[in-house]
Amino acid sequence: MDETTFVRSLEDQLCFEVYKASNGFSRMYGRALKSFGITFPQYLVLLALWDEDHIFIKNISDRLGMSIGTLNPILNRLTAQGWIQKVASDSDKRAVVVTLTEKSQQSKKAISKAILNEIIQCDLTDIGNEAFKRGLKSLNNEFKSLEERNDVKN
């Protein structure tokens, strides 16, 4: 790759296509989640908790790649809406454990169905394509490695 990569028009830039796809996913999930009163970032938090409930905020932050400063307002809204509970850790009073409520546990299937319906309407049934996901995971791993190398330098 050389500097001619950046001479391309906007529509020919990989970064622009990724940006548009990210916005498209956010809007699609937003439509699916609207009736539940949650946003796409809030849904991502719920996904992390559905994978592993009763975890520290730091673990959620690490899993989602969100800073604590970004994550805390999301958690506060989810708490106010009755989706999660936050309690001080028994082992470390400075740490907070996040737990799913009955509402979030009972809503998981309905939320998943609403998202599936949106995916079908958008004709994205191949979204689970493993090669596509592997490529995106590889790209994200490269970005993470680059960040870690830059953190070490600074």
XYZ file of all heavy atoms in Angstrom, residues 104-143:
312
model
N -34.860 -7.833 31.912
C -33.911 -8.057 30.817
C -33.789 -9.532 30.468
O -33.640 -9.896 29.299
C -32.537 -7.471 31.158
O -32.043 -7.997 32.361
N -33.894 -10.382 31.460
C -33.828 -11.821 31.188
C -35.058 -12.287 30.411
O -34.952 -13.085 29.477
C -33.685 -12.595 32.499
C -32.335 -12.369 33.147
C -32.258 -12.894 34.575
O -33.266 -13.123 35.229
N -31.043 -13.078 35.061
N -36.214 -11.774 30.771
C -37.445 -12.177 30.098
C -37.594 -11.547 28.715
O -38.324 -12.072 27.880
C -38.658 -11.842 30.966
C -38.754 -12.689 32.205
C -39.953 -12.331 33.069
O -40.618 -11.325 32.855
N -40.228 -13.174 34.061
N -36.921 -10.433 28.473
C -37.050 -9.724 27.194
C -36.058 -10.203 26.136
O -36.183 -9.824 24.967
C -36.853 -8.219 27.411
O -37.833 -7.716 28.277
N -35.110 -11.017 26.515
C -34.045 -11.423 25.587
C -34.608 -12.040 24.306
O -34.216 -11.661 23.198
C -33.099 -12.414 26.264
C -31.967 -12.864 25.369
C -31.057 -13.856 26.072
C -29.942 -14.298 25.130
N -29.092 -15.308 25.749
N -35.542 -12.958 24.435
C -36.088 -13.645 23.263
C -36.849 -12.666 22.360
O -36.693 -12.687 21.137
C -37.000 -14.791 23.697
C -37.461 -15.674 22.555
C -38.308 -16.822 23.049
C -37.488 -18.088 22.972
N -38.223 -19.274 23.366
N -37.640 -11.790 22.943
C -38.409 -10.823 22.157
C -37.483 -9.834 21.446
O -37.724 -9.468 20.280
C -39.393 -10.073 23.052
N -36.425 -9.409 22.116
C -35.461 -8.499 21.496
C -34.767 -9.196 20.334
O -34.631 -8.629 19.245
C -34.441 -7.991 22.545
C -35.127 -7.046 23.532
C -33.260 -7.308 21.866
C -34.279 -6.661 24.728
N -34.347 -10.432 20.550
C -33.685 -11.195 19.485
C -34.603 -11.358 18.279
O -34.173 -11.236 17.130
C -33.253 -12.564 20.000
O -32.304 -12.427 21.027
N -35.869 -11.610 18.538
C -36.840 -11.784 17.444
C -37.026 -10.476 16.672
O -37.090 -10.480 15.439
C -38.179 -12.273 18.001
C -39.188 -12.587 16.932
C -40.451 -13.181 17.509
C -41.418 -13.487 16.374
N -42.660 -14.058 16.854
N -37.089 -9.359 17.384
C -37.243 -8.055 16.722
C -36.036 -7.753 15.839
O -36.187 -7.244 14.718
C -37.433 -6.953 17.763
N -34.855 -8.096 16.314
C -33.642 -7.874 15.522
C -33.639 -8.794 14.301
O -33.323 -8.358 13.190
C -32.384 -8.062 16.390
C -32.302 -6.931 17.416
C -31.119 -8.117 15.522
C -31.282 -7.142 18.504
N -33.993 -10.047 14.506
C -34.052 -10.982 13.380
C -35.036 -10.491 12.320
O -34.743 -10.531 11.124
C -34.435 -12.385 13.855
C -34.575 -13.434 12.762
C -33.262 -13.623 12.001
C -35.038 -14.758 13.356
N -36.185 -10.004 12.744
C -37.177 -9.475 11.796
C -36.600 -8.307 10.996
O -36.833 -8.195 9.793
C -38.452 -9.049 12.519
C -39.270 -10.229 12.991
O -39.138 -11.338 12.490
N -40.107 -9.990 13.978
N -35.860 -7.456 11.653
C -35.244 -6.312 10.968
C -34.184 -6.792 9.979
O -34.097 -6.292 8.855
C -34.627 -5.356 11.999
C -34.199 -4.042 11.428
C -35.338 -3.162 10.958
O -36.440 -3.192 11.545
O -35.130 -2.412 9.982
N -33.391 -7.769 10.377
C -32.363 -8.327 9.485
C -33.008 -8.940 8.250
O -32.543 -8.733 7.127
C -31.498 -9.360 10.246
C -30.603 -8.640 11.252
C -30.668 -10.212 9.286
C -29.874 -9.558 12.219
N -34.101 -9.643 8.451
C -34.814 -10.255 7.320
C -35.373 -9.173 6.404
O -35.256 -9.256 5.184
C -35.918 -11.210 7.824
C -35.273 -12.452 8.467
C -36.865 -11.603 6.689
C -36.246 -13.325 9.236
N -35.975 -8.131 6.980
C -36.534 -7.038 6.176
C -35.448 -6.315 5.381
O -35.702 -5.831 4.284
C -37.272 -6.038 7.063
C -38.593 -6.550 7.572
C -39.284 -5.535 8.469
O -38.950 -4.360 8.489
N -40.262 -6.006 9.226
N -34.265 -6.238 5.946
C -33.148 -5.573 5.267
C -32.432 -6.517 4.306
O -31.430 -6.148 3.706
C -32.149 -5.037 6.284
S -32.781 -3.685 7.279
N -32.934 -7.751 4.196
C -32.331 -8.769 3.344
C -30.868 -8.997 3.690
O -29.995 -9.040 2.818
C -32.499 -8.415 1.864
C -32.241 -9.625 0.972
O -32.409 -10.764 1.446
O -31.852 -9.431 -0.193
N -30.598 -9.117 4.987
C -29.241 -9.354 5.467
C -29.109 -10.755 6.054
O -28.366 -10.974 7.000
C -28.869 -8.317 6.532
C -28.749 -6.880 6.049
C -28.518 -5.949 7.237
C -27.638 -6.738 5.037
N -29.804 -11.696 5.471
C -29.794 -13.045 6.026
C -28.416 -13.692 5.948
O -28.142 -14.646 6.665
C -30.843 -13.935 5.330
O -30.667 -13.835 3.914
C -32.249 -13.511 5.705
N -27.522 -13.175 5.100
C -26.155 -13.701 5.038
C -25.229 -12.997 6.017
O -24.019 -13.188 5.975
C -25.588 -13.560 3.612
C -26.211 -14.553 2.654
O -26.718 -15.588 3.136
O -26.193 -14.287 1.443
N -25.795 -12.194 6.897
C -24.993 -11.421 7.836
C -24.129 -12.323 8.722
O -23.102 -11.918 9.207
C -25.891 -10.500 8.694
C -25.077 -9.350 9.239
C -26.550 -11.213 9.826
C -25.075 -8.163 8.379
N -24.553 -13.551 8.905
C -23.793 -14.478 9.734
C -22.653 -15.146 8.996
O -22.022 -16.038 9.527
N -22.383 -14.706 7.784
C -21.304 -15.273 6.999
C -20.013 -15.293 7.813
O -19.487 -14.247 8.200
C -21.134 -14.454 5.714
C -20.039 -14.974 4.841
O -18.880 -15.030 5.252
N -20.394 -15.333 3.632
N -19.509 -16.473 8.079
C -18.337 -16.637 8.944
C -17.084 -15.987 8.382
O -16.297 -15.414 9.114
C -18.100 -18.119 9.231
C -19.153 -18.740 10.131
C -19.302 -18.043 11.474
O -18.278 -17.733 12.131
O -20.454 -17.797 11.882
N -16.877 -16.061 7.082
C -15.686 -15.445 6.487
C -15.719 -13.925 6.675
O -14.692 -13.302 6.971
C -15.584 -15.804 5.011
N -16.890 -13.337 6.515
C -17.045 -11.898 6.709
C -16.732 -11.517 8.149
O -15.984 -10.572 8.410
C -18.469 -11.497 6.312
C -18.745 -10.028 6.387
C -18.099 -9.136 5.554
C -19.671 -9.538 7.294
C -18.362 -7.780 5.621
C -19.944 -8.185 7.361
C -19.283 -7.301 6.524
N -17.289 -12.260 9.106
C -17.033 -11.974 10.521
C -15.557 -12.161 10.861
O -14.990 -11.370 11.608
C -17.906 -12.859 11.424
C -19.328 -12.356 11.535
C -20.070 -12.998 12.686
C -20.448 -14.406 12.355
N -21.389 -14.996 13.329
N -14.942 -13.223 10.319
C -13.508 -13.447 10.581
C -12.679 -12.266 10.075
O -11.743 -11.824 10.742
C -13.030 -14.742 9.917
C -13.297 -15.981 10.748
C -12.513 -17.190 10.231
N -12.702 -17.455 8.814
C -13.696 -18.168 8.293
N -14.601 -18.713 9.088
N -13.791 -18.360 6.995
N -13.027 -11.765 8.896
C -12.310 -10.612 8.350
C -12.441 -9.388 9.231
O -11.460 -8.682 9.493
N -13.652 -9.128 9.707
C -13.865 -7.980 10.589
C -13.147 -8.164 11.924
O -12.564 -7.221 12.457
C -15.363 -7.752 10.819
C -16.129 -7.190 9.626
C -17.622 -7.144 9.940
C -15.620 -5.814 9.241
N -13.174 -9.387 12.467
C -12.462 -9.650 13.725
C -10.968 -9.447 13.545
O -10.293 -8.886 14.408
C -12.761 -11.061 14.232
C -14.131 -11.181 14.860
C -14.379 -12.566 15.399
C -15.781 -12.635 15.988
N -16.019 -13.842 16.746
N -10.436 -9.890 12.427
C -9.019 -9.707 12.140
C -8.684 -8.219 12.062
O -7.684 -7.764 12.624
C -8.665 -10.421 10.835
O -7.327 -10.174 10.495
N -9.516 -7.455 11.371
C -9.315 -6.013 11.266
C -9.348 -5.360 12.645
O -8.478 -4.556 12.994
C -10.394 -5.409 10.355
C -10.355 -3.907 10.142
C -9.077 -3.493 9.438
C -11.578 -3.474 9.335
N -10.334 -5.722 13.457
C -10.448 -5.150 14.802
C -9.267 -5.546 15.684
O -8.797 -4.751 16.501
C -11.775 -5.542 15.440
C -12.928 -4.786 14.821
O -12.787 -3.630 14.437
N -14.068 -5.432 14.702
N -8.769 -6.768 15.540
C -7.585 -7.197 16.294
C -6.358 -6.375 15.908
O -5.537 -6.037 16.754
C -7.321 -8.692 16.098
C -8.313 -9.546 16.851
O -8.910 -9.123 17.834
N -8.502 -10.767 16.384
N -6.239 -6.069 14.617
C -5.124 -5.232 14.159
C -5.215 -3.836 14.770
O -4.216 -3.267 15.203
C -5.088 -5.148 12.632
C -4.645 -6.427 11.969
C -3.237 -6.841 12.364
O -2.348 -5.968 12.515
O -3.026 -8.047 12.542
N -6.433 -3.271 14.800
C -6.610 -1.951 15.412
C -6.250 -1.991 16.895
O -5.600 -1.081 17.414
C -8.049 -1.453 15.240
C -8.387 -1.020 13.842
C -9.614 -1.342 13.288
C -7.497 -0.297 13.069
C -9.945 -0.940 12.004
C -7.810 0.112 11.782
C -9.037 -0.215 11.250
